[in-house]
Amino acid sequence: MLPGFLTKTAKTKTGKEVTYLQWWVTLLMSLTLAIGTWNPSGYHFVHYISNVDNILSGFNPFGILIMLALWLLAIKSIFQSLKLYGAILTAIIIAAFIWGLQEYGLINVADFEQAGWAATIAMGLLIWFGLTASIIWKKLTGVYTTDATEEE
């Protein structure tokens, strides 16, 4: 049903079988969060919330809390796996890629819509990299990342 590159499997050293579908799902979720929050087309959460008469009516508070929770989880995952310098370095690399696209004339960041889409997709990629950085680090080095603990 799904294409082969989405369902490709591999065996870990312990014999566990894993699929690459998790990479695509996290990328899709990250881009959905970024694009769903704001995008230049006008069909996004910020536009919806800013144009309601009563922000506390219906499911609006529920939607706001869900969106806030998703962004808090995304930001926590970025800073937990990448830390501040890794997040800054990732943002610089993405910005350099966008600059390269502009230099070759593929996008024009002077145009608000193109710059908005570039920034929104860049934010989605930053969230995705924050979600998967620990997995990538483990694959590259074989070392699991651990949380720092304070000794008493």
Side-chain angles (χ1 to χ4, degrees):
M1 181 168 190
L2 291 173
F5 70 93
L6 291 177
T7 58
K8 185 177 173 188
T9 61
K11 283 202 182 258
T12 63
K13 291 179 185 175
T14 60
K16 182 181 173 190
E17 198 167 285
V18 294
T19 65
Y20 294 111
L21 186 61
Q22 67 183 357
W23 298 91
W24 299 107
V25 169
T26 55
L27 177 61
L28 182 64
M29 289 172 42
S30 302
L31 288 172
T32 301
L33 178 61
I35 293 169
T37 301
W38 184 87
N39 63 66
S41 71
Y43 298 104
H44 52 81
F45 184 75
V46 173
H47 177 75
Y48 170 74
I49 290 298
S50 63
N51 288 326
V52 295
D53 294 331
N54 183 3
I55 201 165
L56 297 177
S57 67
F59 281 102
N60 292 339
F62 176 74
I64 292 169
L65 290 174
I66 292 295
M67 192 63 82
L68 181 65
L70 290 173
W71 273 103
L72 288 175
L73 287 172
I75 291 168
K76 183 181 185 310
S77 71
I78 290 169
F79 287 110
Q80 187 172 2
S81 60
L82 297 177
K83 309 288 188 252
L84 177 63
Y85 294 120
I88 291 171
L89 180 63
T90 303
I92 290 171
I93 291 170
I94 292 170
F97 181 74
I98 292 170
W99 177 78
L101 291 175
Q102 165 130 356
E103 286 295 308
Y104 283 104
L106 298 173
I107 64 172
N108 179 14
V109 293
D111 178 24
F112 175 76
E113 188 166 341
Q114 290 184 19
W117 279 112
T120 304
I121 292 171
M123 189 66 216
L125 291 175
L126 180 63
I127 295 168
W128 176 74
F129 195 67
L131 288 172
T132 57
S134 295
I135 299 167
I136 294 169
W137 183 255
K138 181 193 167 283
K139 287 199 179 286
L140 290 176
T141 65
V143 177
Y144 284 98
T145 56
T146 57
D147 293 334
T149 60
E150 292 183 23
E151 298 288 329
E152 292 189 53

